[in-house]
């Protein structure tokens, strides 16, 4: 094989070297470090220089036999799928709305969602905390004015069910702009000529969406749904904030806050690392079908 031909074949692989180095430094080392930590007993003493004893699979064994962990996992999966489904439906409907309305209302809608998307998490959480405040919140005031006297002084965060309702409202509100903008970009790729021809042939709006629009935007929606599931499974900041302002942590832990409570709260970094590895495997299992379908759709 000539040197010129060899260089032409090796060129594309050489371009991958910087990306591979970044992945190794940025992901492989932390992941390997966390995996090793999960096989050690690492607590407060180890933070001050004491050697970390090797415990093998003990951290994993304790977690698997802990009923609390399975409760948190079931709660997290239910929360994840409900929020991801609602976010996808609302975001897609808003995208369809943006495609149909005139320029002025579409710009107002897009700017409003951009403001929601760009707002820092803590600022957004503070605003929502004020809205659901027990004494001065706008939500309780509005419900009282509508005749629901029982909401006078109602605490939305003390009950786990209403706690997750508030958390879902906030997380969906923060996630919908990404889904709506992405779905809107996909909708602009749908052929107007095909839609017009099907309309002239007598196809209803539902039939046009089912047989023309949805197949066109399906690859994009699949990727967005995959990202949304991963996002909702690892949600942390919103739940932790609400727990700190009135929620009951033991009854409202999700995977992120549970790992945080094991590591930072109980100084049990070995168990926290084991739990983090378990979540990684769970994420891969949940997303495997979507990733596999995407790989099959890639041109060979």
């Amino acid at each position: 094989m000539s040197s010129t031909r060899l260089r032409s074949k090796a060129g594309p692989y050489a371009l991958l070297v910087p990306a591979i180095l970044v992945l190794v430094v940025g992901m492989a080392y932390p992941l390997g470090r966390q995996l090793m930590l999960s096989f050690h007993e690492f607590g407060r003493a180890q933070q001050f220089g004491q050697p970390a004893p090797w415990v093998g699979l003990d951290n994993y064994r304790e977690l698997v036999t802990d009923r609390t962990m399975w409760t948190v996992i079931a709660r997290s999966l239910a929360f994840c799928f409900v929020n991801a489904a609602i976010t996808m439906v609302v975001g897609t409907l808003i995208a369809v709305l943006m495609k149909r309305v005139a320029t002025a209302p579409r710009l107002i809608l897009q700017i409003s969602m951009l403001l929601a998307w760009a707002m820092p998490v803590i600022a957004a959480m503070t605003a929502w905390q004020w809205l659901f405040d027990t004494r001065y919140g706008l939500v309780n005031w509005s419900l009282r004015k509508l005749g629901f006297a029982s909401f006078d002084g109602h605490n939305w965060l003390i009950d786990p069910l209403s706690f997750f309702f508030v958390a879902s409202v906030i997380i969906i509100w923060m996630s919908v702009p990404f889904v709506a903008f992405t779905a809107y970009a996909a909708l602009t790729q749908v052929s107007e000529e095909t839609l017009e021809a099907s309309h002239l042939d007598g196809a209803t709006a539902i039939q046009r969406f089912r047989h023309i629009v949805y197949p066109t935007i399906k690859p994009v929606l699949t990727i967005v749904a995959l990202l949304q599931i991963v996002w909702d499974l690892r949600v942390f900041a919103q739940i932790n904030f609400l727990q700190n302002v009135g929620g009951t942590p033991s009854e409202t832990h999700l995977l992120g806050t549970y790992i945080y409570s094991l590591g930072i709260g109980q100084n049990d970094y070995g168990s926290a690392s084991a739990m983090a590895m378990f979540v990684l495997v769970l994420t891969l299992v949940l997303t495997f079908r979507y990733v596999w379908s995407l790989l099959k759709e890639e041109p060979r």
Side-chain angles (χ1 to χ4, degrees), residues 28-51:
Y29 174 75
L31 186 62
R33 172 67 176 164
Q34 186 163 282
L35 179 63
M36 291 303 299
L37 199 61
S38 68
F39 294 117
H40 290 80
E41 179 185 344
F42 200 100
R44 185 187 298 275
Q46 284 67 39
Q47 295 184 62
F48 291 95
Q50 293 294 323

Side-chain angles (χ1 to χ4, degrees), residues 107-149:
L107 287 177
I108 294 174
L109 188 58
Q110 290 175 334
I111 293 172
S112 301
M113 287 195 297
L114 276 177
L115 292 176
W117 178 255
M119 183 178 290
V121 174
I122 298 302
M125 293 303 300
T126 303
W128 280 101
Q129 179 197 349
W130 290 343
L131 289 175
F132 284 95
D133 184 77
T134 302
R135 297 178 60 186
Y136 307 109
L138 180 62
V139 176
N140 280 355
W141 179 84
S142 301
L143 290 172
R144 288 200 308 272
K145 291 297 181 184
L146 291 173
F148 298 97

Side-chain angles (χ1 to χ4, degrees), residues 3-157:
S3 59
T4 304
R5 190 175 178 185
L6 182 62
R7 282 197 298 271
S8 65
K9 282 199 168 185
Y13 295 101
L15 294 176
L16 293 175
V17 172
I20 294 174
L21 289 176
V22 170
L23 286 175
V24 170
V25 174
M27 296 184 64
Y29 174 75
L31 186 62
R33 172 67 176 164
Q34 186 163 282
L35 179 63
M36 291 303 299
L37 199 61
S38 68
F39 294 117
H40 290 80
E41 179 185 344
F42 200 100
R44 185 187 298 275
Q46 284 67 39
Q47 295 184 62
F48 291 95
Q50 293 294 323
W54 173 270
V55 296
L57 296 175
D58 284 357
N59 289 327
Y60 292 94
R61 192 176 298 112
E62 290 178 7
L63 286 174
V64 171
T65 55
D66 184 8
R67 182 179 298 179
T68 303
M69 187 197 80
W70 294 109
T71 302
V72 171
I73 289 176
R75 186 187 298 148
S76 301
L77 289 176
F79 184 84
C80 166
F81 284 116
V82 169
N83 280 273
I86 296 176
T87 303
M88 290 299 300
V89 171
V90 175
T92 304
L93 291 177
I94 292 178
V96 174
L97 178 65
M98 286 194 295
K99 191 75 170 50
R100 288 177 172 272
V101 297
T103 303
R106 184 175 68 246
L107 287 177
I108 294 174
L109 188 58
Q110 290 175 334
I111 293 172
S112 301
M113 287 195 297
L114 276 177
L115 292 176
W117 178 255
M119 183 178 290
V121 174
I122 298 302
M125 293 303 300
T126 303
W128 280 101
Q129 179 197 349
W130 290 343
L131 289 175
F132 284 95
D133 184 77
T134 302
R135 297 178 60 186
Y136 307 109
L138 180 62
V139 176
N140 280 355
W141 179 84
S142 301
L143 290 172
R144 288 200 308 272
K145 291 297 181 184
L146 291 173
F148 298 97
S150 60
F151 284 92
D152 185 17
H154 178 71
N155 189 335
W156 288 86
L157 302 180

